[in-house]
Amino acid sequence: MIKAKKRIRIAIVDDEPDDAETAKLELSYEGFDGVIISGNRHFYKPEDLAKEIESQADVALCDHRLRPGGLADFDGAELAATLFERSIPAVLITQYYMDSDVSIRRWRRKVPVLMKRADVDPMKVKEGLLRCEAEIGGLPPKDRKPYEALVHVDEVRNESGEKVIDVMVTNWDPHQAVRLPMSLVPQNLHADLSSGMWLLAKVNVGAERPEDLYFEDIRLAPDPDPHDGLA
Amino acid sequence: MDSPKLVVLDVGHGNCAVLVDGEEAAVIDCAPGSTLHETLEQLQIYEIQYVFLSHVDRDHCAGLTGLLLNGIVRNVYLNPDPRRDSKTWQALRIALKKASDSFGTKIHPRLSTAPPLNLRCGRVDIEVLSPSLDMTMSGVSGEDLQARELTANSMSAVLGLTHDGCRVALFPGDIDEVGLAHLLEAKEIEAKILVFPHHGGKSKTIAGDEFASQLCEAVKPELVLFSIGRERYNNPREEVVRGVKSASPGSHVLCTQLSRSYLINVEVRV
């Protein structure tokens, strides 16, 4: 769809009007007609904003932090995931890369593309939207396919009032820890979850960057067999 | 009927190869990441008869957990490593148990020359050339009969693939100079293709060119493959390539980071 269109209507969702205007101008050089959705309105639910976008645009560029400027009561990652569910390609951008661990990771299964604001240019946005479109169509790129993985819980901790877990995914990179929100773990495991435990999950182990990992279908892993003859 | 296919995957700094002949498939070493999964999907392999782990360093084994948890592996051959306590090793043991309990995967905690395994994948014979029985009896961190330390690398399982009477490829894992000395004492190891051990990195006690020339003089390869990444390590080392070229001046050298993945048709003699 995106490739075939000469002009693509893109919703630019940003609580900073100046940033939105800049993005609109730059994107126009690559065949995008920008529709700015900025701080002059307020949205309480991602579904409401998603409907607004759907009525005006084909695709979206979403800033992650939408609350500071009063645009929404939710984050851009949740909006991008809602758009994904409605088959609308959306690229998520942020200058707060620390958000990728928790508030973005929570929705990352349905957020195919995350870009640093500083890296955003019209060509990359277009490429990102094509990736989203392919994934929505059931053809995810290799770095987005989920595979079974064993996840080691290194630590359970509170960060800024939210419970998070730091984990290691051995069949991705056993030398790099990754943080995720406890909310991704089923409620029935919360009380007993502690460092040293192993979980099973579906993880996109083809991802190159830790911020691109997503986790779904998290379960408790069995213990190793002490009599397996291997130790 | 199609001839057997051997794919040496570009997995960065690590090793992984897939052998497929008709309905049967075998995997030699499993580096982490999704490249192996992707390759199996592309080759339409939904069941793997044999997985061999040369040793259990993460860049050779971490990718096996995903295959085991998917339930597509029938047999796993590896050597125990009692002193290992890494998360990768723990994860592998958990996955082995799960695969055994849930999918009937058979775990064979022995991969050595004796008694011979006599395994075939389609029309390709799979031969274990090292470690020898006396090495496995000492095990990792033990000593051989000459009081040389046996590291995980020394104990690397060395596999040869033979088709139609010709040894097509040799996979020596990360074998070091001690392992090589044992291998050279015991076996004829000529092969058309050599997947160079330890990614063409440093040897512990002898010069890289000496190690490479000893190995290549014995293997007489026509093609030497280095399975290497694009960052971090500076492999293959210059002296290693020098050793390869001095012992096998007519051989071709390929690096996975340049060629991405290398597919050969086993029937075509290189």
Side-chain angles (χ1 to χ4, degrees):
Chain A
M1 178 194 94
I2 295 171
K3 260 186 184 164
K5 285 198 169 186
K6 277 191 178 164
R7 303 294 300 180
I8 303 156
R9 296 176 304 158
I10 185 166
I12 300 163
V13 184
D14 200 320
D15 62 337
E16 290 284 347
D18 287 352
D19 289 343
E21 285 293 348
T22 306
K24 180 179 175 177
L25 180 66
E26 288 179 359
L27 287 165
S28 69
Y29 302 138
E30 199 53 48
F32 289 100
D33 292 328
V35 178
I36 292 177
I37 299 174
S38 199
N40 54 347
R41 294 180 60 189
H42 185 81
F43 294 87
Y44 296 94
K45 293 179 184 169
E47 292 79 13
D48 294 340
L49 182 45
K51 277 182 199 163
E52 179 85 11
I53 291 166
E54 199 171 17
S55 69
Q56 299 184 53
D58 309 306
V59 299
L61 181 70
C62 303
D63 181 28
H64 178 55
R65 289 196 183 181
L66 303 176
R67 297 169 208 253
L71 177 58
D73 282 354
F74 46 86
D75 289 327
E78 186 175 1
L79 172 64
T82 307
L83 290 167
F84 184 92
E85 286 170 353
R86 299 173 83 97
S87 300
I88 299 169
V91 165
L92 184 69
I93 59 170
T94 187
Q95 65 261 48
Y96 301 98
Y97 228 52
M98 61 288 245
D99 289 356
S100 60
D101 284 343
V102 180
S103 63
I104 293 177
R105 181 108 56 211
R106 183 177 293 122
W107 304 103
R108 199 62 219 269
R109 178 66 184 98
K110 293 175 181 171
V111 180
V113 180
L114 169 66
M115 285 183 192
K116 286 183 185 172
R117 186 182 282 276
D119 292 342
V120 170
D121 71 47
M123 278 300 288
K124 284 186 181 161
V125 170
K126 196 167 189 175
E127 280 168 23
L129 290 167
L130 286 167
R131 278 168 61 90
C132 293
E133 190 177 51
E135 189 163 332
I136 288 167
L139 294 170
K142 76 178 253 187
D143 60 331
R144 288 282 300 169
K145 287 184 183 174
Y147 295 103
E148 283 288 334
L150 272 157
V151 177
H152 182 262
V153 179
D154 287 353
E155 194 176 359
V156 180
R157 53 190 296 152
N158 274 298
E159 283 291 331
S160 309
E162 178 158 10
K163 232 177 184 181
V164 299
I165 55 174
D166 293 338
V167 302
M168 207 75 89
V169 184
T170 59
N171 54 331
W172 175 65
D173 183 347
H175 297 312
Q176 237 183 133
V178 181
R179 177 165 292 173
L180 57 141
M182 182 69 114
S183 59
L184 286 175
V185 178
Q187 190 74 38
N188 63 322
L189 300 180
H190 285 202
D192 297 328
L193 202 67
S194 60
S195 58
M197 289 174 75
W198 285 92
L199 300 168
L200 289 163
K202 287 204 167 72
V203 182
N204 55 327
V205 295
E208 288 190 6
R209 310 179 305 176
E211 59 267 30
D212 290 330
L213 287 178
Y214 64 75
F215 297 77
E216 64 173 354
D217 193 18
I218 296 177
R219 295 144 281 151
L220 207 56
D223 291 326
D225 178 0
H227 308 296
D228 60 7
L230 296 171
Chain B
M1 190 178 180
D2 287 346
S3 52
K5 287 185 176 62
L6 176 64
V7 186
V8 179
L9 280 64
D10 172 15
V11 290
H13 181 87
N15 277 95
C16 189
V18 177
L19 170 68
V20 57
D21 189 17
E23 296 293 305
E24 297 210 332
V27 173
I28 301 169
D29 282 340
C30 301
S34 66
T35 307
L36 175 56
H37 292 285
E38 286 278 328
T39 305
L40 294 173
E41 283 168 23
Q42 281 169 18
L43 294 171
Q44 298 183 307
I45 295 170
Y46 307 109
E47 181 173 283
I48 301 164
Q49 201 62 28
Y50 306 112
V51 171
F52 302 94
L53 296 182
S54 63
H55 62 307
V56 290
D57 280 357
R58 61 168 288 274
D59 56 324
H60 294 253
C61 77
L64 177 55
T65 52
L67 301 188
L68 290 167
L69 296 170
N70 281 342
I72 62 169
V73 180
R74 300 280 66 86
N75 294 278
V76 179
Y77 289 84
L78 75 169
N79 282 319
D81 195 344
R83 291 185 62 176
R84 193 158 303 245
D85 191 28
S86 67
K87 286 171 189 160
T88 302
W89 180 231
Q90 286 177 46
L92 183 57
R93 290 181 61 208
I94 292 168
L96 284 166
K97 175 168 169 42
K98 172 120 180 92
S100 172
D101 291 349
S102 304
F103 309 113
T105 303
K106 290 194 176 73
I107 319 299
H108 307 269
R110 184 188 67 79
L111 187 53
S112 64
T113 55
L117 289 178
N118 295 324
L119 297 177
R120 294 200 99 192
C121 176
R123 290 161 290 170
V124 179
D125 291 310
I126 301 167
E127 188 184 8
V128 184
L129 299 163
S130 187
S132 59
L133 185 60
D134 69 288
M135 290 170 82
T136 49
M137 285 172 74
S138 297
V140 175
S141 304
E143 288 182 345
D144 66 7
L145 297 173
Q146 288 81 45
R148 292 174 294 197
E149 186 194 358
L150 294 172
T151 66
N153 286 353
S154 324
M155 293 283 293
S156 283
V158 178
L159 298 180
L161 303 184
T162 301
H163 177 247
D164 203 14
C166 169
R167 190 179 290 129
V168 178
L170 190 77
F171 293 87
D174 276 354
I175 199 167
D176 62 11
E177 53 273 31
V178 175
L180 180 60
H182 281 267
L183 186 61
L184 297 178
E185 278 166 24
K187 294 277 181 185
E188 174 279 304
I189 57 169
E190 279 187 32
K192 300 283 182 188
I193 298 168
L194 169 66
V195 178
F196 201 91
H198 208 209
H199 326 284
K202 266 186 178 172
S203 300
K204 206 170 168 188
T205 57
I206 64 171
D209 50 353
E210 190 183 341
F211 175 82
S213 60
Q214 277 183 22
L215 178 61
C216 288
E217 274 167 21
V219 178
K220 299 182 177 58
E222 294 175 14
L223 172 66
V224 180
L225 260 166
F226 290 96
S227 186
I228 54 177
R230 296 163 186 79
E231 299 157 4
R232 212 167 158 192
Y233 304 100
N234 193 22
N235 291 333
R237 296 184 70 82
E238 196 181 335
E239 65 271 22
V240 170
V241 177
R242 199 166 52 237
V244 168
K245 293 312 285 182
S246 72
S248 306
S251 63
H252 298 274
V253 172
L254 280 178
C255 297
T256 54
Q257 104 283 14
L258 299 174
S259 57
R260 292 283 167 172
S261 73
Y262 183 69
L263 176 106
I264 62 155
N265 178 319
V266 172
E267 213 164 65
V268 176
R269 306 288 166 76
V270 292

